[in-house]
Amino acid sequence: MHVEELRASLQSFGWLDYLVFCLMLAICAVIGIYFCLQLRRESRKQKKLHGAEEAATSAASYLVGGRQMKIFPITMSLISSFISGITLLGTPTEVYLYGAQYMYIMGSLVLMGFCMYYFFLPVFHELNLISTYKYLEQRYNRSLRLFGSVMFIVASLLWLPIVIYVPAIAFNQATGVNIHIVTPIVCVVCIFYTCIGGLKAVVWTDVIQTLIMFGAMALVLIKGTMDIGGPGVVWQRAQETSRLERPNFSADLSERYTFYSLVLGGVAHWLKSNAISQNMIQRYLSLPTLRHARIAIWTFIAGVLAFLLICGYTGLLIYATYAQCDPLETKLAQRNDQLLPLLVMETLGAYPGLPGVFVAGVFSAALSSLSTGLNSLSAVVLEDFVKTFRKSPLTEGQTAFVMRSVVVVFGILFVALVFAVEKLGAVLQLTITLSSVANGPLLGIFTAGVMLPWVNSKGALLGGFSSLLVMAWMCVSAQRDLVTGDLVYKRKPYSTMGCNYTFAGEPREFAGLSGGGVAAISTAASAAPFQLYRISYLYFTLFGALVTIVVALVTSLVLRETDLDAVDTRLLTPFVRRWLERRRHRLRSQVPDPRQKSDKVETTT
């Protein structure tokens, strides 16, 4: 059998699979309708009780669930929003191609939890915000608030089209249906339930979608492991090709994964996705107290770690399954990120309905991220643009119209941008690289805001713009080199000697890496002079944040315009707040009291 015939035979998506997939979409739509009706009931009740305050109450209910959400659904929503289809398909592909070195990034996730717990969350929760970027106005000025909001919109425009594109790849591998047919259909459902149901609809659909994701990945893991002879075979084949390895302590910044890029770069990567992102902060702020939010952090981290372990093992399982017949070399899988869908169709294709469960799981991951992004965009546009520039307050009807219009407009825009994503590289690296353009400067501005009271608005704005320009150049240059083939990362060893079908080319062994080391760049690229944009993509967000912080701090110190006594301590992280309050108390105690001096003069006289 030729590879083309085999690929066509694997696209056996039956009516039961379509039924399972459509059922998932229908459940999401029904949840949206239910919470839409609940919002209307609450709105009528608020009109009777509060009258003029109805618009503000309506917005709070739509965007943060009235700040009365429970820990369990919020945790599930955080996990579902964080684990997009990019993670489900991208992480196994990364482990298959470059080994399990990437999995050490889990340690940085725990470090991010401590940073959130002690530094960022206490500040945001005490301020009781709807838009995270209102903090920037309170800490700096309105210009920084608008800068932060624009950067969030830019980051969403770079990220969410990839989120939509990834499950379409899986659907295409399973069914052969063109990705540009399925993406608009699925996105219409997502836009519908996000538009009418608000945050509560988004959160509860996320709960359903998280359970589907877990179930889908568990099915693949169990059945795939049984088919090749158990976990011992997976472990043995991974060790034979150095896919299981100790941490790489190399100081080479250009290596794809080292201990330092995974820990230092990983912390910055997780922080920009969790600590300063409107998508995630909006969920933490929907909980009634800081204590509830802190519990949600650790339950969320536990869930994400479980997902990452599952995805990492799946990557090793894919290699164990195709150890003697690499599907990328034979073109059985036409894109890197179709490896997991290929495994699913080979292991579960004979069981009607099960491929449908997997595809529903991947789309669930995408829909949760998309609905979260759309809901957060409506919050940012309403709070940071409409309310900021409008002199008179909005009525309830106007507020609802703005929020729902934002969801629809951006939803359509994201679907259109999928055409551009299709031309770019592997999704995991692509996502982290592109998102660093906006999130590097943002992370720097927020970190300077909560940690460095010396930084003022002029310094922060200059630092943000400087970092934006540098990161845009780095990301465009790095992506250009990847697309043109000037920058190629060497794979782990693979083979096509055991293929039982014909393909273009001769069966042979591929050494992949000399010496079985970690993923380094190709010989031609490594021989070229050092280029800043060729550092590991995990450093990009960290580098952008550091550029922002350094420029902002130096500029602020040079200008000498910062009055530490005028800085609102509520806007600082708790330990900096305590230091500043002690400093102010010490300075006040050193200044002599004028009344005591007057009494002393009278006594002398």
Side-chain angles (χ1 to χ4, degrees):
M1 183 182 292
H2 191 265
V3 64
E4 299 288 346
E5 297 173 307
L6 179 59
R7 189 188 306 121
S9 69
L10 289 173
Q11 294 172 345
S12 55
F13 215 64
W15 68 268
L16 193 58
D17 299 301
Y18 282 107
L19 180 63
V20 171
F21 179 65
C22 293
L23 183 62
M24 181 271 293
L25 295 178
I27 290 172
C28 295
V30 168
I31 291 174
I33 293 170
Y34 171 78
F35 283 107
C36 175
L37 297 174
Q38 188 183 76
L39 277 172
R40 289 186 177 182
R41 287 195 299 269
E42 290 178 0
S43 176
R44 287 195 293 268
K45 185 177 179 181
Q46 292 298 333
K47 280 182 181 179
K48 294 178 181 179
L49 294 176
H50 301 288
E53 298 177 3
E54 62 187 73
T57 306
S58 173
S61 183
Y62 185 89
L63 298 172
V64 289
R67 304 190 192 276
Q68 294 299 319
M69 299 297 292
K70 304 297 182 184
I71 292 176
F72 172 73
I74 288 296
T75 299
M76 298 292 274
S77 179
L78 287 166
I79 294 170
S80 186
S81 303
F82 199 77
I83 301 293
S84 65
I86 296 168
T87 308
L88 290 186
L89 298 188
T91 304
T93 300
E94 201 72 15
V95 173
Y96 175 85
L97 293 175
Y98 306 112
Q101 186 78 211
Y102 175 76
M103 299 310 297
Y104 291 113
I105 201 171
M106 292 191 297
S108 64
L109 183 62
V110 177
L111 293 177
M112 180 278 296
F114 284 105
C115 294
M116 274 288 294
Y117 191 96
Y118 290 107
F119 302 152
F120 290 94
L121 199 56
V123 178
F124 294 142
H125 215 282
E126 183 178 340
L127 295 174
N128 210 26
L129 306 173
I130 289 180
S131 169
T132 313
Y133 307 104
K134 188 176 180 180
Y135 167 83
L136 297 179
E137 181 176 5
Q138 296 178 348
R139 174 64 176 84
Y140 301 112
N141 57 26
R142 181 175 292 183
S143 298
L144 264 298
R145 178 178 182 175
L146 294 178
F147 178 81
S149 302
V150 170
M151 287 298 96
F152 171 71
I153 293 172
V154 170
S156 299
L157 290 171
L158 294 173
W159 174 57
L160 287 173
I162 307 173
V163 168
I164 300 169
Y165 173 67
V166 167
I169 298 174
F171 198 83
N172 173 260
Q173 180 70 34
T175 66
V177 176
N178 189 291
I179 62 171
H180 300 299
I181 294 176
V182 66
T183 48
I185 296 172
V186 174
C187 289
V188 164
V189 177
C190 182
I191 293 167
F192 171 74
Y193 73 73
T194 305
C195 184
I196 67 172
L199 181 77
K200 290 183 179 179
V202 171
V203 166
W204 283 105
T205 52
D206 285 351
V207 172
I208 302 297
Q209 290 159 354
T210 304
L211 296 175
I212 296 173
M213 281 193 292
F214 264 118
M217 294 302 290
L219 275 174
V220 177
L221 240 67
I222 294 169
K223 182 63 170 60
T225 303
M226 290 170 57
D227 285 350
I228 64 166
V233 176
V234 176
W235 190 268
Q236 178 187 351
R237 292 179 181 175
Q239 283 185 318
E240 289 171 353
T241 54
S242 300
R243 280 175 167 79
L244 292 175
E245 51 198 353
R246 294 175 180 174
N248 172 29
F249 290 98
S250 169
D252 186 355
L253 295 178
S254 65
E255 285 197 30
R256 189 175 182 87
Y257 299 127
T258 65
F259 175 81
Y260 309 106
S261 67
L262 290 165
V263 173
L264 301 178
V267 169
H269 167 62
W270 299 126
L271 277 175
K272 65 87 179 170
S273 302
N274 201 53
I276 64 164
S277 172
Q278 176 72 22
N279 298 341
M280 306 296 280
I281 291 295
Q282 192 170 334
R283 272 137 192 77
Y284 289 118
L285 299 186
S286 67
L287 292 164
T289 66
L290 177 60
R291 176 177 168 273
H292 287 82
R294 281 176 159 170
I295 293 173
I297 290 175
W298 294 116
T299 50
F300 154 73
I301 288 175
V304 172
L305 288 174
F307 254 119
L308 286 175
L309 283 172
I310 290 172
C311 291
Y313 178 82
T314 304
L316 298 177
L317 175 62
I318 295 172
Y319 174 73
T321 304
Y322 299 110
Q324 294 302 313
C325 188
D326 179 67
L328 295 176
E329 188 67 27
T330 65
K331 302 301 180 185
L332 182 60
Q334 295 176 307
R335 290 182 58 92
N336 292 354
D337 303 298
Q338 288 184 323
L339 287 170
L340 180 55
L342 176 65
L343 176 69
V344 170
M345 296 311 296
E346 289 219 47
T347 56
L348 303 179
Y351 302 89
L354 293 188
V357 172
F358 170 76
V359 173
V362 177
F363 265 105
S364 294
L367 289 177
S368 64
S369 301
L370 178 59
S371 60
T372 297
L374 291 172
N375 187 255
S376 298
L377 282 166
S378 65
V380 168
V381 172
L382 176 69
E383 295 291 324
D384 298 339
F385 292 96
V386 177
K387 287 186 176 180
T388 299
F389 293 106
R390 184 181 172 87
K391 295 180 180 178
S392 58
L394 294 168
T395 64
E396 181 185 10
Q398 291 171 329
T399 301
F401 175 78
V402 169
M403 292 187 294
R404 288 168 171 82
S405 297
V406 170
V407 170
V408 173
V409 170
F410 275 102
I412 295 171
L413 183 58
F414 294 145
V415 173
L417 287 172
V418 171
F419 287 91
V421 173
E422 190 179 12
K423 308 298 181 185
L424 301 175
V427 293
L428 186 65
Q429 178 173 349
L430 175 66
T431 305
I432 296 176
T433 302
L434 291 183
S435 64
S436 65
V437 174
N439 287 318
L442 269 182
L443 178 60
I445 290 173
F446 273 101
T447 303
V450 299
M451 303 283 286
L452 302 172
W454 303 275
V455 173
N456 58 30
S457 58
K458 291 181 181 178
L461 193 59
L462 181 60
F465 273 114
S466 302
S467 177
L468 179 63
L469 294 174
V470 172
M471 296 313 300
W473 166 74
M474 287 180 64
C475 292
V476 170
S477 301
Q479 204 59 42
R480 180 201 62 212
D481 281 8
L482 284 170
V483 172
T484 59
D486 292 338
L487 179 61
V488 179
Y489 288 95
K490 292 182 179 179
R491 290 178 51 182
K492 290 292 187 183
Y494 59 101
S495 171
T496 57
M497 295 295 292
C499 294
N500 57 4
Y501 55 87
T502 59
F503 57 93
E506 294 295 325
R508 61 194 185 102
E509 297 279 352
F510 295 87
L513 281 171
S514 57
V518 296
I521 60 177
S522 66
T523 306
S526 59
F530 175 77
Q531 298 284 356
L532 183 61
Y533 62 81
R534 287 187 173 178
I535 62 175
S536 170
Y537 70 94
L538 286 173
Y539 283 124
F540 275 41
T541 302
L542 176 64
F543 184 78
L546 289 176
V547 169
T548 303
I549 292 171
V550 170
V551 173
L553 184 59
V554 170
T555 302
S556 301
L557 293 176
V558 169
L559 293 177
R560 296 184 179 181
E561 295 180 358
T562 305
D563 181 7
L564 291 183
D565 292 333
V567 176
D568 186 349
T569 56
R570 295 180 308 140
L571 305 173
L572 302 171
T573 198
F575 81 92
V576 178
R577 184 184 307 174
R578 290 192 293 269
W579 171 83
L580 190 59
E581 288 173 347
R582 286 197 299 269
R583 176 185 178 278
R584 290 175 180 176
H585 177 73
R586 187 171 62 253
L587 290 175
R588 283 196 298 267
S589 64
Q590 291 174 356
V591 176
D593 190 336
R595 291 174 299 178
Q596 293 180 351
K597 185 176 181 181
S598 175
D599 292 342
K600 186 176 180 180
V601 171
E602 290 178 2
T603 304
T604 306
T605 303

